[in-house]
Amino acid sequence: MLRTHACLRLLLFFLWAGILLAQSSTKVGILSAPTFITEQDIWINEDNRLEILLPHPNSDGYDPSGGANLQYRIKILLGCEVYYNTTVKRSSWPTIWKNFFEIPFDDYQIQISRETTIGKTAPPPSSPGTVLVGPNGGTPAELVPTNHLEIKRWTLHVPKIGGGFEGSLSFNNRFPDLPATIYTAGFDAQGNLISGTVKSVTVIGQRPVIPVYARQAGQSALYDMTMTDKISHIGWFEPMNRHFVSVSISYKNLAENALAATIAETDLEAPEQTGEAFVLEARKSGNFWDGVAILNLTSTQTAQITAYQRSLETGDILQSTPLGSLGPGRKLLSVLSEVFPLSGNAYYTIESDQAEIQVLGLRGSLTAQPALLVGSQVFKNR
């Protein structure tokens, strides 16, 4: 019996030692590749330098204790040759790594691995690399799409100062401790790119706000006074389809103490943003007006647009009116409260005969104490 207990104690000792050995080898052994870094985290900046967003190297929780002291190794490969090789270690994450030379070649790869600096042996234990295709050289401003069909993110309506309204843009930076860059292109109501509107916006901090147009010389704004009231809708672009920055616009009456409506950007890759018919809520008081902006940003065909006033109870058509044809890339505006009579028991539908469209609704007060703008609820019907 004593011998049996001794054997059991010996077995438990070896089992305990094996667990410790496995835990030790886990900390300093072969790491897994940092697959949480993707091609959306790599871009070319305005100086034709490569930039990579590097989150914490323990983002996947590989090292629960945090004692492995992880860092990154970045290699740039031309074919099978290592063109550049460096390590990146920081006291805080995330960080944006930037190389010091221009990218002069078309085809290259980026290999990102992670290493642990535990122990004094060299080289440190390293993971397999995540191999990513690097973006081509050339400044991003040259790569910004100028065809509306290639742009997926939009501010659907820019108000006119001459019409008594102004707009201000808010930029929400997902990583407020790091500078982020988003590119913009302005279009007129006929869908033409406006010369001089393709530019970059560097966002520092979480939610900076700037007006669309400068109201006086030297004022910080997206566009200077030479562009005032020329722009109908604005396209937004981040290389590699990144979404580091989201944009919203606030619409405000120029009257003193006016209250603003804030509308988020429209992402055309979201299925609910594009369709052939949309439901739009209607005013319930004669003290308000209803307006709608309708765009044709995803089709190469001209759409015939019709507005309907329908019963809230049955959905039956009370009245209808054609709003006109809408060519590719174009926008039309309508004040629906001037087309349909006030009804406390109705809503609108905006419908296209064939091409898919995008719809933005706004409601404003007819009184100036204070003047009020709000976004109208819009829902895709089909």
Side-chain angles (χ1 to χ4, degrees), residues 69-134:
N69 204 18
L70 298 173
Q71 65 184 22
Y72 289 105
R73 180 167 294 277
I74 298 175
K75 295 180 182 179
I76 297 177
L77 309 175
L78 291 179
C80 296
E81 300 294 324
V82 177
Y83 182 84
Y84 181 73
N85 185 0
T86 190
T87 59
V88 182
K89 182 176 177 61
R90 298 286 188 270
S91 58
S92 64
W93 306 91
T95 188
I96 292 180
W97 174 84
K98 181 193 301 184
N99 72 333
F100 62 88
F101 56 86
E102 292 189 23
I103 298 295
F105 28 79
D106 292 332
D107 297 318
Y108 65 100
Q109 294 177 322
I110 302 166
Q111 185 183 81
I112 305 175
S113 56
R114 52 183 172 175
E115 301 173 340
T116 175
T117 58
I118 283 180
K120 298 181 180 180
T121 59
S126 179
S127 77
T130 296
V131 179
L132 304 168
V133 177

Side-chain angles (χ1 to χ4, degrees), residues 27 38 42-43 45 47 54 71 74 81 85-86 133 142 145 166-167 171 180 193 234 273 303 305 326 348 365 367 373:
K27 287 184 179 180
T38 69
I42 302 173
W43 63 93
N45 66 19
D47 298 322
L54 297 174
Q71 65 184 22
I74 298 175
E81 300 294 324
N85 185 0
T86 190
V133 177
E142 296 171 349
E166 62 181 346
F171 298 87
L193 177 70
I234 300 174
Q273 301 290 354
I305 308 299
L326 187 61
Y348 309 115
S365 64
T367 61
L373 281 174

